[in-house]
Amino acid sequence: MSSGTHYTIRPVSVGALTIGKSHLVFGVGYGEMIDSVVYMWYVEGAGRRVLVDTGCCGPEWSAKYHYPLRRTPDEEPAKALSNIGVAPTDIDTVVCTHLHWDHCYNHELFTNAKFYIQRTELQYAAAPHPMNCKAYESTTIGMTPPYIKTKFEVLDGDAELAPGLTAVFAPGHTPGMQGVAVDTTDGVYFIAGDNLPLYDNWAGNQIQKHIPGINFVNVEDYYRTFQLIERIADHILPGHDPKVMDKAVYP
Ligand SMILES: [Zn+2]
């Protein structure tokens, strides 16, 4: 049910990774290289200034440890925000969908924000499965996670952050993923993070109504989360799809 409080959502690009499509949509587009845009999501309304995810490292680090990253000067995180009239110090709340490296760099910019993470994610990130260690830049492989100095508000499941703005526990892509359900003048938009990297994941194909990405620990959880998203969302915003930028503001 609508809270009566309405927010707007602006996708803010901090660059584009070059990545195989089959990495984002399981079993689809092997060998096809695509742009995976790294977004911060700026949510504003009812006097609140919220950021969902905080982007990735710079191109040099990204190319060395992960994927090639194309970033224009306008896509430097602080500049990208100032381009839409927002200073990092304006942000009162940061919601971390999960702790993969391309979602949780740059926390030090947001000096006035409370940072929200699911307990399950924080615990998993501390000692991930070997397959997932690099994505977390985990200490278990001798790296230093980008969020290491962050003081988190730790959530155990769904949490209303403000009227009409809810962090939703949505395990799938990682064990402790959360999305954000946002009331707007056009119903509920769900910021899905990497549970749905592209619109193609949600559109599905002849066999699967919705298609997971290649990263998961428990695929049953992932499919339950698809059902959850069907129940609560009128619209989805995928985590890395360049088509998101077709609109500057949602709704
Ligand atoms: Zn991820």
Side-chain angles (χ1 to χ4, degrees):
M1 205 170 74
S2 171
S3 64
T5 307
H6 297 141
Y7 299 83
T8 56
I9 306 164
R10 289 174 185 267
V12 180
S13 168
V14 297
L17 304 164
T18 306
I19 193 169
K21 183 171 182 178
S22 62
H23 197 97
L24 301 183
V25 191
F26 197 112
V28 174
Y30 282 112
E32 183 186 341
M33 301 307 285
I34 62 167
D35 279 352
S36 173
V37 178
V38 180
Y39 291 109
M40 309 187 289
W41 305 87
Y42 176 64
V43 181
E44 187 180 86
R48 299 293 297 273
R49 291 167 168 251
V50 176
L51 203 63
V52 180
D53 288 342
T54 53
C56 61
C57 56
E60 201 176 320
W61 187 267
S62 182
K64 186 170 178 188
Y65 292 103
H66 304 287
Y67 308 99
L69 171 71
R70 266 192 347 268
R71 174 180 280 175
T72 67
D74 272 339
E75 289 174 319
E76 291 292 334
K79 181 68 164 58
L81 282 171
S82 83
N83 288 345
I84 60 164
V86 178
T89 50
D90 293 338
I91 300 295
D92 57 66
T93 302
V94 169
V95 182
C96 303
T97 61
H98 64 307
L99 293 173
H100 282 168
W101 69 281
D102 53 333
H103 294 259
C104 66
Y105 264 82
N106 312 304
H107 283 182
E108 67 282 359
L109 295 175
F110 306 101
T111 50
N112 294 319
K114 279 189 171 177
F115 290 76
Y116 290 90
I117 189 70
Q118 291 287 330
R119 185 184 307 278
T120 315
E121 183 67 7
L122 199 52
Q123 289 174 332
Y124 186 73
H129 187 283
M131 280 175 66
N132 305 138
C133 284
K134 195 155 64 82
Y136 283 104
E137 299 193 353
S138 157
T139 57
T140 56
I141 53 169
M143 296 182 83
T144 302
Y147 58 84
I148 198 77
K149 290 183 178 167
T150 304
K151 177 181 171 291
F152 285 111
E153 309 290 322
V154 180
L155 301 176
D156 292 294
D158 298 355
E160 190 180 65
L161 303 172
L165 189 70
T166 305
V168 179
F169 183 56
H173 173 73
T174 69
M177 280 286 302
Q178 59 186 348
V180 183
V182 184
D183 277 6
T184 76
T185 54
D186 187 28
V188 174
Y189 273 73
F190 188 65
I191 300 173
D194 287 359
N195 280 327
L196 298 170
L198 303 180
Y199 284 112
D200 284 0
N201 298 85
W202 195 235
N205 59 20
Q206 303 90 324
I207 298 163
Q208 298 182 78
K209 191 172 182 189
H210 311 298
I211 307 171
I214 199 169
N215 271 306
F216 52 78
V217 171
N218 183 331
V219 80
E220 308 281 357
D221 281 350
Y222 209 144
Y223 273 79
R224 268 191 292 276
T225 284
F226 284 157
Q227 292 168 335
L228 168 69
I229 296 169
E230 282 183 358
R231 286 197 301 277
I232 66 172
D234 298 307
H235 313 274
I236 62 105
L237 289 168
H240 289 287
D241 200 317
K243 290 197 213 72
V244 163
M245 286 189 292
D246 289 353
K247 280 183 75 172
V249 188
Y250 292 82

